[in-house]
């Protein structure tokens, strides 16, 4: 299986590595993290706010989301308090059964071990621990 949005996933991997380092980033991708943790990392990375929001939104298709959301759900943006603000500060997921806060949504990167995805898209070298965990 290949990634649907390799560019967004590469940006997420880079942000996690920048904020947490290789080992913790690998653990977060393989074992999972909350959507809130991902948002915090992306907003702390050297990206524009707009790029971070876009990469999170585009990259969600490549993560296993828990709890199972079913077929109908959508990502809702929470904006800053200033009137007319378009500055995203958080996200939540709306489903027919209710709304889940970002801290209640768990994300784990889909397995790349069997994929034909080229790990060079992540900018990972052959001796890289993230490549070993995600791509071999």
């Amino acid at each position: 299986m290949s990634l649907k949005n390799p560019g967004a996933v590469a940006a997420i991997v880079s942000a996690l590595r920048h904020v947490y380092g290789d080992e913790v980033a690998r653990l977060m991708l393989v074992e999972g993290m909350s959507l809130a943790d991902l948002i915090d990392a992306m907003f702390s990375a050297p990206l524009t706010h707009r790029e971070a929001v876009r990469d999170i939104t585009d990259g969600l298709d490549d993560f296993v989301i828990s709890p199972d959301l079913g077929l109908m759900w959508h990502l809702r943006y929470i904006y800053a308090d200033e009137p007319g603000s378009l500055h995203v500060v958080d996200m939540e997921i709306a489903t027919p059964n209710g709304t889940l806060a970002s801290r209640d949504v768990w994300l784990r990167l889909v397995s790349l071990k069997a994929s034909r995805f080229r790990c060079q898209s992540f900018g990972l070298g052959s001796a890289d621990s993230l490549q070993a965990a995600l791509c071999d």
Side-chain angles (χ1 to χ4, degrees), residues 18-136:
H18 176 79
V19 174
Y20 296 108
D22 287 352
E23 292 305 312
V24 174
R26 181 191 59 77
L27 185 65
M28 293 174 83
L29 292 164
V30 173
E31 298 297 324
M33 68 192 124
S34 71
L35 177 57
D37 290 336
L38 176 59
I39 292 167
D40 289 343
M42 293 298 285
F43 288 169
S44 298
L47 298 167
T48 67
H49 206 74
R50 181 182 208 159
E51 290 171 329
V53 171
R54 185 184 64 239
D55 289 334
I56 293 167
T57 302
D58 292 348
L60 281 180
D61 287 337
D62 291 305
F63 284 83
V64 176
I65 301 174
S66 298
D68 184 15
L69 302 174
L71 297 175
M72 297 200 40
W73 62 274
H74 80 262
L75 189 62
R76 224 187 288 177
Y77 301 112
I78 299 173
Y79 297 98
D81 289 335
E82 301 89 36
S85 174
L86 294 177
H87 186 77
V88 175
V89 295
D90 199 0
M91 299 175 191
E92 58 188 17
I93 294 182
T95 72
N97 297 325
T99 301
L100 297 166
S102 60
R103 69 183 172 279
D104 299 326
V105 176
W106 199 253
L107 306 171
R108 183 178 49 80
L109 188 62
V110 297
S111 175
L112 300 178
K113 292 183 185 284
S115 90
R116 291 176 291 158
F117 177 75
R118 294 183 187 158
C119 291
Q120 290 78 16
S121 297
F122 283 150
L124 304 176
S126 59
D128 195 293
S129 63
L130 272 173
Q131 180 180 3
L134 300 174
C135 307
D136 288 341

